[in-house]
Amino acid sequence: MKQVELLAPAKNLETGMAAINYGADAIYIGAPKFGARSAASNTLEDIGELIKYAHKYWAKVFITMNTILYDNELKEAEELIHQLYKLGADALIVQDMGILEMNLPPIELHASTQTHNYDLERIKFLEQVGFKRIILARELSLDQIKEIRKNTSVELEYFIHGALCVSLSGQCYFSHAIGGRSANRGECSQACRMKYDLVDGEGKVIAKDKHLLSLKDLNLSGHMKELVESGICSLKIEGRLKDSSYLKNVTSYYRKELDDVFEKKKEFRKASSGTVKPNFEPDLEKTFNRGFTNYFFSGRIPEIANFHTPKSLGKEIGKIVAVRNDHFIIDTKFEIHNGDGLCFFNRNKLLKGIQVNGVKGKLIFPNEMNMLVAGAVLYRNNDHEFAKTLKKDNSTRRISTELLLEFKENILTLIATDEDGISASVQLKEEFELARNTEMAITNFKTQLSKSGDSIYSIHTIETNFTEAPFVQAKVLNELRRKVLDSLTENRVAAFQQPKTQALISHPKYHTKNLNYMGNVVNCKAEDFYHKCGVEKIEKGFELQSDYKGKTLMTTKHCLRHEFGMCNKEFSTDKKANQPLYLVDNKNRYKLEFHCQRCEMKIIFE
């Protein structure tokens, strides 16, 4: 059977444990330094705790060290990698090729999506280098994934949910150019979420003050079967800055979707142990989202961006029918509660938010009445009752276990065997009295032993093996059960430890002898790596340069010609479709270049 992994993000220990509790097969979490989310770093102590917790379920913990490194950081990064290895980290997610030239422990290496894993040629190169897994670009379609799978044997990981970077990952220099905050250093200022004007070569404004680069959020929940069949081994949820409530909802939703696929396709199975039955109905629209898109998974589609707002819309719930002095009337099939946060677009297409202070049937009394418009579509971006439910819910992921109680020659033996076939046993020898009623004694044994308490186990069946039952006090049975389950956990963790082998890093020939700044080389070890791969000339990375004029700040599949009906390939033969276009903010003007053969748009610093 093929294992398929549900991979969830973790901002910290709390969110990591929540993701595991609600069904993740693996977690990715930031190291103390050098992760692509500088606001989501963690102590070694917390990482160690998360690893211990995850391994009980045979879930894995991957550490993100996927920034580019400066020369003065190489030694510290190498020491940190060794510390993470000693903690039991299952893999390291990296971007900087300089790491490959370090004295590494035998830890599994994953090529971050930041290594620009878009072209088959690049992916085959990284496979030959020695990466165990490659995290594919979000822009890839299902057909492209299948083609990559057909031509490679390396493990493939792919994003299925969450925020989208509008630029090809690892190829965005916008944030650094305008504010000195490098996306490749984990400090992205999200320039793509800002407002811009779209202007043509004659100065005509095509769009004014719009979030022209702000993509909707990815949602491939309707494509789980296709993804599983495509050969992807790990399905990844984005969100290392999200809270526990978000992780509970989104992880449990995708856990159910995947399990439904596995139920029908027996050749696939989940990659860790245990099941969880949350006390709520997961709903992706009820937690943070900017509206959803499947991006390029099924080919290019319209409206992958939301030009009006980069904020969360939540779930569409109905329309405003009429507006009165202190309330409005809503047409909805959903129940509205005090404390709900609602939003809508006003006549100027600006997103406005209100809070519900009172509800009387279809009459909604908000905290303010400004800008309310009859006919406006309403969204609920804060479902107050759902949020309370998520916060209170502490569902526990349980591993199904069978118990066998044996009694022979005054020795009481309790054997536990879990769903993975791992066993443990404990014995108690003493002079037991025999129970007067064997049948009643067995009933009492099963009642007492079935109470697994706050352990990670659920007792599925209890069998007994004796003809005469001993008399055993409840507290003795409880202690036997506690000991055997503790021993089972130790055996599970021991069985999960895979033999570590040193990654065989090689230096295959790179496809070009000249590497420009988009190679993201900012340290001497990365230079050494590419030189060994046959590269002769290496331009310094963007972060080491001072003159950005004429340089590409972003390469994206999101195309503004296409979005505004000016695509040469699909919409227009008008010569005006070929005239220059520019993005303009309150400080700069950026030229747009369109590479129609690759269906890409570039943003150039002027």
Side-chain angles (χ1 to χ4, degrees):
M1 294 177 71
K2 297 179 182 178
Q3 289 187 351
V4 179
E5 173 185 279
L6 178 60
L7 176 58
K11 178 180 181 180
N12 49 33
L13 174 61
E14 177 194 351
T15 56
M17 292 177 69
I20 291 168
N21 286 341
Y22 287 82
D25 298 307
I27 300 295
Y28 62 105
I29 187 170
K33 294 183 71 174
F34 313 125
R37 297 288 187 276
S38 59
S41 58
N42 292 274
T43 65
L44 288 173
E45 290 77 11
D46 280 355
I47 291 173
E49 284 299 308
L50 182 60
I51 290 170
K52 290 177 183 176
Y53 188 74
H55 285 183
K56 295 177 183 179
Y57 294 97
W58 289 7
K60 295 181 178 180
V61 177
F62 307 142
I63 311 299
T64 59
M65 284 185 63
N66 55 340
T67 63
I68 52 175
L69 306 170
Y70 295 144
D71 281 325
N72 63 350
E73 297 171 326
L74 293 174
K75 183 179 179 182
E76 183 182 4
E78 184 175 309
E79 291 173 351
L80 179 56
I81 291 170
H82 281 269
Q83 290 173 308
L84 292 166
Y85 170 73
K86 290 177 182 177
L87 288 174
D90 296 288
L92 198 66
I93 302 172
V94 302
Q95 174 185 12
D96 198 312
M97 295 299 141
I99 288 176
L100 305 182
E101 299 299 309
M102 294 177 178
N103 175 27
L104 296 176
I107 191 169
E108 192 172 291
L109 296 177
H110 295 179
S112 169
T113 189
Q114 295 294 116
T115 57
H116 184 39
N117 308 321
Y118 181 63
D119 292 307
L120 177 59
E121 184 178 39
R122 171 70 171 176
I123 293 165
K124 290 175 74 173
F125 169 76
L126 292 173
E127 178 180 19
Q128 293 168 19
V129 165
F131 283 100
K132 179 71 180 299
R133 178 182 295 186
I134 295 174
I135 305 167
L136 297 176
R138 294 169 172 89
E139 291 79 7
L140 293 173
S141 68
L142 177 61
D143 288 340
Q144 288 173 305
I145 292 170
K146 289 178 178 179
E147 184 66 16
I148 291 167
R149 177 72 292 158
K150 181 181 175 182
N151 290 280
T152 59
S153 57
V154 67
E155 290 184 3
L156 299 176
E157 182 177 303
Y158 187 67
F159 282 93
I160 57 170
H161 193 88
L164 287 163
C165 292
V166 66
S167 174
L168 296 175
S169 292
Q171 307 291 287
C172 185
Y173 309 97
F174 211 147
S175 175
H176 186 79
I178 65 175
R181 292 173 56 180
S182 168
N184 283 318
R185 298 272 297 163
E187 301 167 342
C188 180
S189 61
Q190 294 194 312
C192 57
R193 302 296 182 189
M194 301 297 106
K195 287 183 177 180
Y196 298 93
D197 296 342
L198 181 64
V199 180
D200 68 16
E202 299 174 353
K204 178 185 176 182
V205 177
I206 298 170
K208 179 73 173 175
D209 285 335
K210 298 296 182 184
H211 300 274
L212 296 172
L213 302 177
S214 184
L215 298 180
K216 297 176 182 178
D217 287 354
L218 181 66
N219 180 343
L220 295 181
S221 60
H223 300 279
M224 290 298 98
K225 179 175 176 289
E226 297 160 90
L227 280 163
V228 167
E229 292 175 335
S230 73
I232 296 292
C233 78
S234 181
L235 304 176
K236 187 173 192 175
I237 299 167
E238 183 277 338
R240 279 203 294 124
L241 296 178
K242 296 295 195 296
D243 62 15
S244 293
S245 291
Y246 181 91
L247 267 297
K248 290 177 181 179
N249 184 36
V250 176
T251 306
S252 56
Y253 186 95
Y254 278 97
R255 179 74 274 156
K256 183 180 183 302
E257 291 297 306
L258 272 178
D259 288 347
D260 287 347
V261 173
F262 299 157
E263 187 64 31
K264 297 171 185 174
K265 300 190 69 62
K266 301 297 185 181
E267 65 269 33
F268 299 99
R269 67 179 180 87
K270 62 184 178 183
S272 62
S273 308
T275 57
V276 61
K277 296 178 181 178
N279 299 310
F280 61 89
E281 186 65 33
D283 187 336
L284 297 177
E285 292 183 303
K286 288 187 177 182
T287 44
F288 186 99
N289 73 84
R290 300 177 177 91
F292 288 126
T293 176
N294 68 8
Y295 207 27
F296 293 96
F297 184 77
S298 304
R300 185 177 287 279
I301 57 173
E303 299 183 0
I304 61 175
N306 187 337
F307 293 160
H308 304 301
T309 181
K311 298 179 180 179
S312 176
L313 292 176
K315 190 180 184 80
E316 183 177 333
I317 58 167
K319 286 186 178 181
I320 298 175
V321 174
V323 179
R324 304 290 186 249
N325 288 335
D326 62 348
H327 69 276
F328 63 88
I329 302 171
I330 187 173
D331 178 17
T332 182
K333 63 180 180 180
F334 300 101
E335 188 174 350
I336 312 299
H337 304 100
N338 289 352
D340 279 353
L342 307 180
C343 60
F344 62 95
F345 290 101
N346 66 14
R347 289 189 177 93
N348 297 321
K349 293 292 185 180
L350 296 175
L351 188 69
K352 296 295 179 181
I354 55 176
Q355 182 174 305
V356 177
N357 286 346
V359 180
K360 290 183 180 178
K362 299 291 184 180
L363 309 184
I364 309 299
F365 297 82
N367 61 333
E368 59 177 292
M369 295 292 296
N370 279 344
M371 308 296 285
L372 285 169
V373 181
V377 175
L378 277 172
Y379 301 86
R380 177 158 51 189
N381 56 6
N382 178 27
D383 189 321
H384 185 62
E385 292 301 313
F386 188 68
K388 283 199 306 182
T389 298
L390 287 178
K391 192 170 185 179
K392 290 190 299 183
D393 192 78
N394 291 307
S395 301
T396 303
R397 181 173 173 176
R398 305 277 188 173
I399 299 168
S400 181
T401 305
E402 299 175 354
L403 296 180
L404 173 61
L405 186 65
E406 296 184 331
F407 179 63
K408 186 178 181 181
E409 297 178 355
N410 276 327
I411 298 176
L412 192 64
T413 303
L414 183 60
I415 303 168
T417 305
D418 68 22
E419 62 188 57
D420 298 302
I422 305 300
S423 295
S425 65
V426 293
Q427 290 186 330
L428 179 62
K429 183 177 182 179
E430 63 178 64
E431 295 294 327
F432 289 99
E433 294 181 15
L434 294 179
R436 294 179 180 178
N437 187 323
T438 297
E439 188 175 328
M440 183 178 293
I442 291 175
T443 299
N444 291 336
F445 290 158
K446 291 184 176 182
T447 300
Q448 205 62 39
L449 291 174
S450 65
K451 301 173 183 177
S452 56
D454 58 358
S455 75
I456 63 173
Y457 302 100
S458 63
I459 308 304
H460 180 61
T461 59
I462 302 171
E463 300 292 336
T464 57
N465 184 17
F466 43 74
T467 52
E468 292 183 299
F471 174 76
V472 186
Q473 291 181 315
K475 65 179 182 180
V476 174
L477 285 171
N478 290 341
E479 183 65 10
L480 280 174
R481 184 192 61 238
R482 184 190 65 79
K483 285 183 177 180
V484 79
L485 294 182
D486 285 349
S487 180
L488 181 60
T489 300
E490 292 175 5
N491 291 348
R492 283 187 58 80
V493 173
F496 182 68
Q497 300 302 319
Q498 304 295 321
K500 305 285 185 178
T501 56
Q502 189 75 40
L504 297 176
I505 303 301
S506 64
H507 299 87
K509 186 178 180 181
Y510 199 57
H511 69 274
T512 178
K513 292 186 179 298
N514 297 320
L515 190 63
N516 67 15
Y517 65 92
M518 290 185 177
N520 297 325
V521 175
V522 296
N523 65 66
C524 60
K525 285 188 179 295
E527 286 185 10
D528 289 344
F529 171 81
Y530 280 110
H531 282 316
K532 291 176 182 178
C533 294
V535 179
E536 297 175 359
K537 185 178 179 181
I538 300 175
E539 185 181 5
K540 289 182 179 179
F542 194 90
E543 289 76 6
L544 297 181
Q545 302 198 20
S546 56
D547 183 8
Y548 309 141
K549 188 173 182 180
K551 285 191 162 36
T552 299
L553 301 184
M554 180 186 290
T555 303
T556 171
K557 291 284 288 182
H558 170 53
C559 178
L560 290 174
R561 279 201 190 283
H562 186 275
E563 291 289 320
F564 284 90
M566 297 184 289
C567 175
N568 291 346
K569 295 167 68 175
E570 291 188 23
F571 302 117
S572 179
T573 56
D574 192 331
K575 290 183 179 180
K576 288 185 177 181
N578 292 314
Q579 68 174 311
L581 291 178
Y582 301 87
L583 283 182
V584 180
D585 59 20
N586 56 4
K587 291 184 179 180
N588 301 303
R589 187 176 81 156
Y590 311 95
K591 183 180 179 181
L592 301 181
E593 285 187 0
F594 299 90
H595 296 250
C596 297
Q597 189 173 1
R598 288 178 61 87
C599 217
E600 292 176 353
M601 180 180 79
K602 293 182 182 292
I603 300 176
I604 314 296
F605 194 88
E606 287 203 316

